[in-house]
Amino acid sequence: MLLVDRISEASSFIQPFLNEAPEYAIILGSGLGGLSELVENQVIIDYQDIPHFKVSGAPGHIGRLIFGRIKAKAVVCMQGRLHYYEGNDPEDTVFPLLVLNALGAQTLLVTNAAGGINTDFAVGDIMLITDHINLTGSHPLTIGNEQGLHEFIDMTYAYTPALRETVHAAAKKQGISLQEGVYLGVRGPSFETPAEIRAFRIWGADAVGMSTVFEVIAANFKGMQTIGLSLITNMAAGILDEPLSGDDVIKTAAFAAQKMQNLVQEILAEL
Ligand code: HPA
């Protein structure tokens, strides 16, 4: 079945449950699922009930859409995302976002847990993503011969400059000191080697993670505005003389989630 038809089937299934069209799609990263508690008047739909949706098996990811309002803005939160490292096809990882766009979402606010490459960063910092490097070796829009998917998408302003200003203003209001930088997306699921991290730093990367780049490409394909926020859950491999663990990533994310919640709420108030 063509991607456009799958998108249309999934959005037609969801539509009758909604009180209003979502304007903002918010992707909740590892350990940040609690952000969905901010949503008022919730309408919850499990991924497993939606035609053509796959279910994420990654730790810290549940797998449901939560529609409603935050600061009077119509939002939908994706609680649980699909990762490329789980063996999903790249296009499957962006399918939910394409459906949310079909339902009306024109702005993407994507969050993730990431390793800090920039040694000025500290664990618990939030980094506003200014740009990315897609090192997954793949791309979400390379499937088949379907019309319209093979466009040469402009990525010059992938992380909407005007919205970055909005995020800075929101952070200031909340007294949150914000880092800024380039996110490098890898496939995973292993963490990186110290040599890889040294190489990435030379390339200009400030943080590394296993998500986000496909979603941001898909958002730009659909002409959506984009905000990207990384929670630095650990310093990247080799920076500190200690091993990395997925459990620590989730624990730190949960610990720092309140700061991310405050920021997201203030951003929506400012938008
Ligand atoms: N590397 C890759 N992905 C990550 C990391 C990391 O250090 N931390 C959280 N997600």
Side-chain angles (χ1 to χ4, degrees), residues 92-267:
D92 288 337
T93 67
V94 300
F95 182 75
L97 178 63
L98 295 175
V99 172
L100 300 183
N101 171 255
L103 286 166
Q106 285 302 319
T107 302
L108 169 66
L109 199 170
V110 55
T111 65
N112 60 52
I117 295 177
N118 186 325
T119 50
D120 290 339
F121 292 0
V123 170
D125 279 355
I126 295 176
M127 181 187 88
L128 172 64
I129 306 177
T130 55
D131 203 348
H132 78 216
I133 297 171
N134 174 10
L135 198 74
T136 62
S138 195
H139 195 283
L141 302 174
T142 52
I143 52 168
N145 283 321
E146 195 168 330
Q147 182 122 49
L149 284 185
H150 297 167
E151 288 171 21
F152 296 111
I153 301 156
D154 179 43
M155 294 292 289
T156 311
Y157 307 107
Y159 297 82
T160 315
L163 294 188
R164 282 165 23 208
E165 298 301 318
T166 307
V167 175
H168 277 294
K172 205 166 174 193
K173 270 200 177 166
Q174 285 291 322
I176 295 168
S177 71
L178 201 61
Q179 304 284 8
E180 229 190 24
V182 173
Y183 176 92
L184 184 142
V186 292
R187 181 173 189 179
S190 62
F191 287 112
E192 300 67 40
T193 63
E196 286 167 342
I197 295 302
R198 286 194 299 274
F200 297 166
R201 186 178 299 119
I202 292 168
W203 288 358
D206 297 288
V208 58
M210 302 175 195
S211 66
T212 303
V213 292
F214 289 167
E215 291 143 344
V216 171
I217 291 169
N220 276 264
F221 166 59
K222 284 293 172 188
M224 296 174 80
Q225 300 201 306
T226 300
I227 295 170
L229 297 172
S230 291
L231 177 63
I232 306 299
T233 50
N234 56 283
M235 293 314 289
I239 295 180
L240 307 174
D241 189 14
E242 62 188 31
L244 303 183
S245 101
D247 282 351
D248 288 348
V249 167
I250 306 283
K251 273 187 208 145
T252 309
F255 183 71
Q258 186 62 47
K259 184 160 72 163
M260 189 64 108
Q261 280 192 24
N262 295 346
L263 181 59
V264 167
Q265 208 163 15
E266 193 64 47
I267 291 169

